[in-house]
Structure formats: structure tokens, C-alpha cells
Amino acid sequence: MIKERFYESIKYIKRDALAGTVAGVMAVPLTVGICLMSEYPVMTGLYTVIFAGLVSFITYLFKPGNYTGMPGVAAGLAPALALGIHTFGIENMPFVIMLTAVFQAIVWKYRLERYILRIVPHYLVEGLLAGVGLKIAMKFVPFLYDIEHETEVWLNYEREVILALSLVSFVSFVLLYKYYKKKMPALPYFVIMATSFVLSFFMPLPRISIDAVPFELSLPLPHFGHLNLPAMLLLAAKMIGYAMMLGTIDVIEQVMSNVAIEKMDPMKRKADSNNSLLAIWIANLGATFFGGMTNLDGLAKSTTNTVAGAVTKLSNLFTALVILLVVLFPVVLEHMPEYALGIIMVYSGFKMIANIAHVRSEGRYALIMAGICGLLVFELGIFEGLLILLAVHAIIQFIFMKRMGKTNVEVVETFRDTFRLEGDRKSIEREDQIQEPSVPVLDKWVAAVNAHDPNGLARLYADEAIMIPAFSTRVRRSKDQIKDLYRDLFEKDGLEVVPYQVSTQKINGLKVDSGQYKMKWNAQGFEEGKNLRFSFVIQDGKVISHHSSMEPGEEVTISHPEAYDADFVE
């Protein structure tokens, strides 16, 4: 599988190179803004994105999470990181982030993200992000009217010029984003950066201050100073609690991002959130050795990367390369005016606030709770606001169930039932089954088809496998072509196969499974189906030939052959 993904990356290198470069252009100002918000040195944030991009590509070759996401420092965690710096000091943040990485490694190892998502309703996370978005917007609004030469009169000529420039630029940025977000999402970022860079040579514009922080390696050890033992233990306990909070938010944001990235994937591949967490905690752990920040596949960068044409995580290497060039030639950042960064970050904060509208479809209760969560996060902070809303949510649910006449025992059982993960467990068992050599290939095939898992099915076929499908006039001659056929077939609602009259024999050292199965699906509320004959020729545990045909008396009717290449039966 590693070799296959590597060759796939090489196959799409031109698309990934262009997409990664585009994502890199927009990642630079976003990273700068998030660093300023979190009070981290800008260079440290850029180092983090470069390292996270390398880790993301390497882990993708072994265990792919999503396929077109781009990792980096997350806007949603910026206030939390600033809180950590104020509480523990910048010198202790590498140790705290190391604790965060360890917590995330435990979550990854035992697949605990499924439980976290049940403890924290996603509409509260939307509210949390809206509160963070408000913090970000308020933080950078002053950048839109800041001037170099203050006078006794606030609204002087210089400020009038900056306000006019900010207004025109903001409107232009929004319009460009609106009209080009599906074709060239990085265009508004490039235009605003390039325009402000040129204007900085002709106008007295306040510029971003960049500290020269060298890339140095050191152990992520705690610095407790001259604290006595009780104070040291108390501080360590606070660090552990903070790390768990930071890690939980990181995990939830990553899982939510995966849902969106999966929907945008050009090849409709399913994201594996657990594998994404592997890349996160490795990158976080590695970043602690150079004082780096936390990372995840941010939605803004990932959307840009995907829309720009990325197919594999190789695009991350080109994004990292763009940022590396900025690190090597920081003069680009030194000429970035504050107003340009202010426009980008205020709009980013606004989008985080606007996303709370997605909660409306879940009812009034979810929308109210999300709104209150956002306000509490803005006023009190991420940790306090989320904890208060979780407690309120639990109390409301308890009162609601009691009014329904449930006993305390029934309430506890209802709570316990929310953590039963039958669907997830079946998915895990199916993955284990596909990897287990002792399980017959036919059983694996049936399980993968009924789970609508094209990736699992592709792993059952040899690279040069041949498939003659009953529903198509075209022979498939490779694993990728077979995978594409299944992906199209799964467009049918509720597709399922039920085998019967199966026989197995060995011919010239090859195993041959043959028999019949019924394929059924739902069409406009009615169940439809076809009886098919099949044969699998299996060598070394892989299908090298798959032939299926209609049972005598079954009619084949092909609908929309120009759209589906005669692959579907209506």
C-alpha cells in the first residue's frame, strides 16, 4: 500500500504541485495572523507548518487520514495558546504541548475520539468556534485603522487614508473570495498581499513586526523555577488539565474538518479520523523539540488545497516549500502592512461566527446553546465557557428525561447507551477482517460491498486484476478501474449483496470461488434486485480475475450510458 500511494502521488504530481503552491500563498498570512493572536513568534508558527506538512505526507503513505487536507496552526486554538502562555509562560509551552501530544496519542491508540464526540455535541463546538472567531475579529479590527504617526486628533488625514484603503480593500477581498472561492480560492489572499506589499513602498503604512527566531532544537522540559513541592504539583496538575482541554479541542476540530474534506475529495475517498490523529500527535510531539505550536488540518487551508486541484498529500510538501522560502527570505513579511493582515483575519473570524448558522437545521435548542457557548467563550475563555455549557447541557437533559417519567436508573442507562459504538465497532471489525489472511476473500468482499467501502474492496484485488462486470460493456483491467466502478455502483441507495450456492475449488494452484448472489437496492422507495452469477480467481490471497453475469431470464436495462459509461442498471 505504501508503494501504491507513493506512485499515486507521483502520478498526480503536477496537480499537487500547483495546489500546494496555491495553498502555501494563502497559508502565510493566516499563519502570521494566528501567531499574533496566540502571542507566539511568527517564525515559530511557520516552522510548525513546515514540519507538520512533512509529517502529514509521511504518515499519509502509511496510514492516510484524509487525502487533501493541509495541516498547520489552527485559528480556533489561538486564544487557547495565548491563555497557556499567560498561565505557564512561553518557556513551559513546549512541555505543555508535549503533554497534549501524549494525550492525543492515547486518544489515537484507543480510538477515544468517538467518545469525546459523544461527550461534546458538535453544535457546542460550532458555538465555541464562533466565540473564538469573535475574539479573532475584535483582536484585528484595530489593524484596519492603525497609523504610524499618532496625533491629538484621532481622525486625522493619515487615519482617513488608512480607513478608506481598508474599506476598499476589504470589499474587494470579500468580492474576490465570493466569486473565486470555487475556482481560485487563494486569489483574494494573493491580491491583498501583493497590493499591500507594493503600497508599503509609497505610503506610511504600519507594518508587521517579525522577530528573528532561529530554528533551535532543545528538550521540552518544564521550568518550575524556585517553586516549592506543593506549588510545583499544583502547577503540574494545571498543565495536565490544560493539555487535555487543548488536545480535546484539537481532536474535535480535526474530526469536523475531516467531514468537510471528505465531502470535497475529488475522488470521493473516505477519511479516517483515527489516522488523521496519528499525524497530529506525531507532528505536535516533534514540534515540542523546537518550541512549535499545535497543528491540525485547518479547514481554510484544506479547502484551498482541495479546490485548487490537490489529489494526494504530496501537495503538503509544496505548501511547506512555499513557507520555507518565506522563512529564508523574511523580507516578504517585513513589508506586509497591518491593514492587509487585519482584513484577512477579521474575515476569517467572521466566517467562524457565520458557521454557527449550520446549527439552525438541528432545532432551536441546539442554536440557543451554540449561541450561549459562543458568548461564554468570548467573555470567559474557551475552557471555562465550554465546561459551563457542558454542565448546563447535562442538567437540561437530566430534567427533560425526568419529566418524561424516567427513573434515575433509566437515565443512567440512556447515558450509557450513547457510548455504545456498534457502527464504529463494525467498521473496525471489518478493517481487521480485510487484513486477516484466514478470512476467505469472498467473505471480505461481501462485507466490504455491504459497507460501501471502495478502499476495502480495492485491497482485495491484485494490481493488474481483470473484472468483467455484469452491468457494464467495458472490461476493467486494473485495481483503480475496479475501484472506480464500485464507487459509482455505491451511488445506488441501500445497495447490498446476498450470496448463495457458493462453491470453492482449486485449479492449477489457483483458488476459484463461484456461485450466485442477489444484488438489491432501493429505487424511489421500492426494493429492486438482480440475480447474478460470479466467479473469483484468487492467487496469493488477491483476486486476479472477477467475472459476473446475469442469471438467465434477467433483463438488463442501461440508463444514461453517456453519463455512466453503461455501468448502472436502473
Side-chain angles (χ1 to χ4, degrees), residues 450-515:
N450 291 341
H452 293 190
D453 181 8
N455 293 317
L457 284 163
R459 292 199 288 274
L460 300 177
Y461 290 84
D463 291 339
E464 304 300 327
I466 295 176
M467 181 178 183
I468 305 175
F471 292 169
S472 176
T473 58
R474 180 161 60 92
V475 177
R476 273 33 180 205
R477 301 183 183 277
S478 71
K479 176 192 295 189
D480 289 338
Q481 291 181 6
I482 294 172
K483 180 179 176 181
D484 289 340
L485 182 143
Y486 280 119
R487 185 182 292 116
D488 291 340
L489 196 60
F490 292 151
E491 294 293 330
K492 290 182 176 295
D493 184 28
L495 183 81
E496 183 182 0
V497 295
V498 180
Y500 58 94
Q501 296 183 2
V502 177
S503 65
T504 299
Q505 55 185 319
K506 286 194 174 182
I507 304 175
N508 297 328
L510 300 175
K511 181 183 177 184
V512 179
D513 289 341
S514 59

Side-chain angles (χ1 to χ4, degrees), residues 522-568:
N522 298 320
Q524 298 180 350
F526 297 94
E527 182 179 291
E528 295 191 9
K530 297 291 181 183
N531 293 313
L532 303 174
R533 292 176 175 177
F534 75 92
S535 65
F536 288 140
V537 179
I538 303 166
Q539 183 178 46
D540 298 328
K542 297 286 186 180
V543 178
I544 61 174
S545 176
H546 177 186
H547 178 264
S548 61
S549 60
M550 306 296 296
E551 282 279 16
E554 293 279 0
E555 294 183 0
V556 182
T557 56
I558 297 174
S559 175
H560 307 297
E562 70 282 358
Y564 298 116
D565 190 24
D567 284 341
F568 295 100

Side-chain angles (χ1 to χ4, degrees), residues 106-115 272 274 428:
I106 295 172
V107 170
W108 165 78
K109 175 65 176 177
Y110 297 102
R111 297 179 178 264
L112 300 180
E113 74 276 4
R114 300 164 296 162
Y115 297 101
D272 187 320
N274 192 252
I428 296 168

Side-chain angles (χ1 to χ4, degrees), residues 182-200:
K182 293 184 177 180
K183 296 179 181 179
M184 293 181 287
L187 180 64
Y189 296 87
F190 178 79
V191 170
I192 196 73
M193 288 179 63
T195 304
S196 64
F197 183 83
V198 173
L199 290 176
S200 68

Side-chain angles (χ1 to χ4, degrees), residues 4 77 95 104 129 146 150 176 212 260 275 316 334 338 354 418 445 461 510 517 522 545 559:
E4 292 175 8
L77 292 175
F95 176 71
Q104 291 172 330
L129 293 177
D146 195 17
E150 291 287 351
L176 286 171
N275 286 349
N316 291 177
E334 293 172 358
E338 286 185 356
T418 63
W445 180 83
Y461 290 84
L510 300 175
Y517 62 82
N522 298 320
S545 176
S559 175

Side-chain angles (χ1 to χ4, degrees), residues 317-349:
L317 297 185
F318 289 94
T319 300
L321 180 60
V322 170
I323 297 175
L324 177 62
L325 291 176
V326 173
V327 169
L328 296 177
F329 302 99
V331 66
V332 176
L333 296 179
E334 293 172 358
H335 280 276
M336 180 187 289
E338 286 185 356
Y339 86 90
L341 185 61
I343 289 171
I344 293 172
M345 295 308 296
V346 168
Y347 189 66
S348 297

